[in-house]
Amino acid sequence: MAEIAIGLQERKTDKELYSYQQGAITKIFEKFETAPDDYHLLYQLPTGGGKTVIFSEIVRQYLKHHNKKVLVMTHRIELCKQTSEMLTGFGVVNKVVNSTANLDDQGRYSCFVAMVETLNNRLHDNKLDISDIGLVIIDEAHYNSFTKLFKFFEKSFVLGVTATPLSSNKNLPMKDNYNELIVGETIEALIENEFLARAEMFQYDMGLTTLEVGSNGDYTVKSSEDLYTSNSMLDILLEAYRKHATGKKTLIFNNGINTSIQVYHTFKAAGLPIAHLDNTATKKQRKLILKWFRETPDAILTSVSILTTGFDEPTIDTIILNRATKSLTLYYQMIGRGSRILNNKSMFSVIDLGNNCYRFGPWGADLDWNAIFKSPDYYMDRLLSDEELESNFRYSMPDELRESFAKSKEVYFDIKATYIDAVNSGESSKVVLERSIAQHAYICTENSEDVYDALILAKLLGDDIDYRIDRYAKCISKSTFNFLTWLKDDYRLKLRAHLRENFDSIFEEIHGYPPED
């Protein structure tokens, strides 16, 4: 006698569906009724919008009205467990298909939850009967690891859910595996209706042209670690934390374990409460670290990519992106970790040390997801390169240094505009640096009593000089390392010479009287 599958029990959760969640469920069920049985539907909803709640209710209603079984796939073991618990809360009896699961009783279940790799092994070993699966739900559907399993479910309705319907592999666009995209509520709408916290962005202009792009289309770990473990970058990170996040619960994302460890030691040496977590930690270590992070108000947790999905900690106040990425999905996932609301939390901070906001736009910007779904290459190809991004940066003199030039109303000099004016006037490009030197000499003199003061100030302008030379080199398209080094050294020599020769006349031009002997 065949076993009767257990489908539904009484709902155990008191979670009420919000109107936008109910609206999404209605749209999806309309597709169940009108589309072919083997239709592939993709549903987009921002991180924190309640995708698991929505598809748990979908499973509950589907089992109630259809004489078929349901399979939910995830890509990480943590998500597997969370999904199973949520389904149980909705009264859906389910079996987790993990590496240790005994499948002798599978006939008793109408719903299965499985991690993609485990499921792949079980299906190839013919250990799981999928002949009666009518609905397959794929969580975090933008990951390509799921596509290899589609061949097993050619007669099933597939529902993919994701916050970012953009494939992690440029060569495997999601439109090739899904017939249609349904776009859910926007981040801005969820913020306005107090379902998500609003992000306050702090952007830093970072020089990232040494980063290399790997075969997966994102920056390599090695080139990222070479840059982000440097003393100068660690100093910028620590200073950014002190300026914007002191005393706040902070989650730091890095590209590489070594970077995260260096961040840990840097913050520890500064006397700050910090822990490091990566995928080499045992379950016990991970549990203890996350418990400490949850219970410590000013805790700082530095990590790699382990906490981008399946991790919810609403008490996070600050997210630091101590890395660059070319993945829109990763950008949204990292920031999304801070967007959960609490009774006393409606805002959170994002410190961007990877030019990510310049690259993708502000988190929560109004993106046309259907256009991205249909034409992902068009979207990706329009993103600015690091060289293009950095060409728009403007050097800003640090506050402490700016105090030494307090008498000057303006200290910025636009190399690019000066170069364009010189070219349009038929002048040699050399006049650009000559005018830059003259402007530097002017502000040094303006804030000095004598030539010796001015020469001391000139030595403080190293970063500004380097920035101007880099911009100049881009203008004239000569940027070999030796040429740049020579230009920077030559500029410093000429600035000092210009001050020695012209200090008296510049001083008199500024003050109306000559300097005292």
Side-chain angles (χ1 to χ4, degrees):
M1 183 177 174
E3 286 186 285
I4 299 173
I6 305 168
L8 299 173
Q9 292 181 340
E10 189 176 340
R11 211 169 180 266
K12 297 183 179 70
T13 181
D14 57 357
K15 275 184 178 291
E16 291 295 324
L17 290 168
Y18 299 119
S19 59
Y20 74 87
Q21 294 173 329
Q22 192 58 62
I25 291 168
T26 300
K27 284 183 182 178
I28 290 166
F29 269 99
E30 284 173 2
K31 289 297 174 184
F32 284 154
E33 303 306 324
T34 59
D37 290 344
D38 61 352
Y39 200 67
H40 287 200
L41 180 65
L42 191 60
Y43 172 62
Q44 180 273 336
L45 186 69
T47 299
K51 293 187 293 295
T52 312
V53 170
I54 289 172
F55 71 66
S56 294
E57 177 63 14
I58 285 172
V59 173
R60 193 182 74 81
Q61 291 189 29
Y62 183 88
L63 292 176
K64 192 174 180 180
H65 300 292
H66 297 77
N67 192 26
K68 291 272 191 179
K69 296 186 178 185
V70 177
L71 170 68
V72 181
M73 283 195 271
T74 72
H75 77 293
R76 286 179 59 162
I77 195 160
E78 299 91 352
L79 291 173
C80 216
K81 184 181 177 184
Q82 289 172 18
T83 300
S84 176
E85 290 172 354
M86 182 69 78
L87 286 165
T88 300
F90 274 78
V92 177
V93 180
N94 63 90
K95 185 172 184 66
V96 175
V97 182
N98 57 28
S99 56
T100 59
N102 184 338
L103 297 179
D104 293 343
D105 62 348
Q106 62 181 285
R108 297 181 58 233
Y109 294 89
S110 293
C111 179
F112 301 94
V113 182
M115 199 171 75
V116 60
E117 296 305 333
T118 307
L119 181 64
N120 189 44
N121 295 335
R122 293 300 180 102
L123 290 175
H124 278 100
D125 294 341
N126 292 315
K127 295 284 178 68
L128 183 66
D129 179 13
I130 57 170
S131 58
D132 211 21
I133 300 288
L135 172 63
V136 177
I137 294 178
I138 300 175
D139 192 16
E140 306 289 352
H142 52 272
Y143 286 101
N144 292 298
S145 53
F146 297 109
T147 57
K148 60 176 173 272
L149 296 176
F150 282 7
K151 63 188 177 188
F152 292 104
F153 303 101
E154 290 179 345
K155 296 180 180 178
S156 302
F157 192 107
V158 174
L159 173 64
V161 292
T162 178
T164 49
L166 185 65
S167 172
S168 56
N169 186 329
K170 188 178 180 181
N171 298 319
L172 298 170
M174 299 197 79
K175 65 177 181 176
D176 288 359
N177 289 307
Y178 290 91
N179 302 102
E180 181 184 352
L181 170 68
I182 291 177
V183 177
E185 207 80 346
T186 64
I187 287 176
E188 184 57 39
L190 291 173
I191 292 170
E192 287 292 330
N193 290 293
E194 299 181 347
F195 295 117
L196 292 180
R198 188 176 296 281
E200 182 180 15
M201 305 290 293
F202 297 102
Q203 296 159 232
Y204 282 68
D205 296 350
M206 308 299 290
L208 304 177
T209 49
T210 60
L211 292 181
E212 297 173 359
V213 178
S215 58
N216 67 347
D218 209 348
Y219 299 109
T220 63
V221 171
K222 184 182 183 306
S223 66
S224 294
E225 295 211 305
D226 287 346
L227 178 63
Y228 282 91
T229 57
S230 67
N231 289 333
S232 60
M233 291 294 270
L234 290 167
D235 287 345
I236 291 170
L237 169 63
L238 185 58
E239 179 58 34
Y241 167 81
R242 283 175 166 153
K243 186 173 182 179
H244 302 293
T246 296
K248 296 179 180 178
K249 185 168 292 186
T250 300
L251 179 59
I252 304 174
F253 286 104
N254 309 278
N255 188 12
I257 292 173
N258 291 332
T259 305
S260 187
I261 291 171
Q262 288 296 319
V263 169
Y264 168 81
H265 288 303
T266 300
F267 276 62
K268 200 73 177 171
L272 295 166
I274 189 168
H276 158 81
L277 182 63
D278 62 55
N279 57 11
T280 64
T282 64
K283 284 184 181 179
K284 185 178 180 181
Q285 288 171 329
R286 176 189 167 104
K287 189 174 181 181
L288 285 172
I289 289 169
L290 292 181
K291 182 175 185 290
W292 168 82
F293 185 61
R294 183 172 62 252
E295 295 174 354
T296 308
D298 59 347
I300 306 164
L301 184 57
T302 178
S303 68
V304 194
S305 59
I306 190 170
L307 300 177
T308 52
T309 57
F311 171 68
D312 290 326
E313 185 48 67
T315 59
I316 292 172
D317 286 310
T318 303
I319 299 289
I320 300 182
L321 307 181
N322 190 43
R323 60 163 297 166
T325 181
K326 283 185 173 287
S327 166
L328 176 70
T329 296
L330 183 57
Y331 173 61
Y332 269 74
Q333 284 176 333
M334 291 188 293
I335 296 179
R337 296 307 110 199
S339 66
R340 307 289 185 177
I341 58 167
L342 277 177
N343 293 334
N344 60 343
K345 173 191 167 187
S346 60
M347 295 275 295
F348 69 106
S349 300
V350 179
I351 299 172
D352 181 12
L353 302 179
N355 296 343
N356 301 293
C357 187
Y358 294 134
R359 193 174 296 110
F360 300 115
W363 178 79
D366 189 15
L367 292 174
D368 188 340
W369 287 117
N370 259 309
I372 292 172
F373 172 69
K374 291 172 184 173
S375 306
D377 286 350
Y378 177 69
Y379 171 76
M380 295 303 294
D381 291 343
R382 288 174 65 206
L383 295 178
L384 295 178
S385 68
D386 290 325
E387 289 79 5
E388 290 169 319
L389 284 175
E390 291 174 33
S391 71
N392 295 321
F393 291 169
R394 171 175 168 154
Y395 175 77
S396 181
M397 193 176 279
D399 293 342
E400 191 176 341
L401 178 58
R402 187 66 176 87
E403 289 175 10
S404 298
F405 292 89
K407 293 179 181 177
S408 302
K409 286 185 179 180
E410 179 60 76
V411 293
Y412 179 72
F413 183 82
D414 194 330
I415 289 285
K416 188 175 181 180
T418 306
Y419 175 80
I420 291 170
D421 288 344
V423 170
N424 290 339
S425 302
E427 297 176 283
S428 166
S429 62
K430 291 179 182 179
V431 302
V432 176
L433 292 186
E434 290 171 3
R435 287 167 187 164
S436 176
I437 289 169
Q439 188 264 356
H440 264 156
Y442 188 90
I443 63 172
C444 287
T445 304
E446 193 173 21
N447 293 276
S448 302
E449 294 299 322
D450 55 42
V451 69
Y452 303 107
D453 289 344
L455 288 169
I456 291 170
L457 286 180
K459 286 185 177 180
L460 302 178
L461 294 171
D463 288 344
D464 192 8
I465 291 170
D466 291 348
Y467 166 81
R468 294 187 187 191
I469 295 299
D470 288 338
R471 292 302 298 265
Y472 177 72
K474 284 185 172 69
C475 288
I476 62 173
S477 302
K478 290 180 181 177
S479 54
T480 64
F481 178 78
N482 288 338
F483 180 69
L484 283 176
T485 303
W486 176 81
L487 269 182
K488 290 171 182 178
D489 290 342
D490 186 60
Y491 188 105
R492 286 165 170 80
L493 289 170
K494 286 180 176 174
L495 174 57
R496 291 196 290 272
H498 189 93
L499 280 168
R500 290 191 182 96
E501 292 172 18
N502 301 288
F503 179 84
D504 288 358
S505 59
I506 298 172
F507 187 97
E508 189 167 355
E509 178 190 340
I510 293 169
H511 299 287
Y513 55 85
E516 294 179 8
D517 292 334

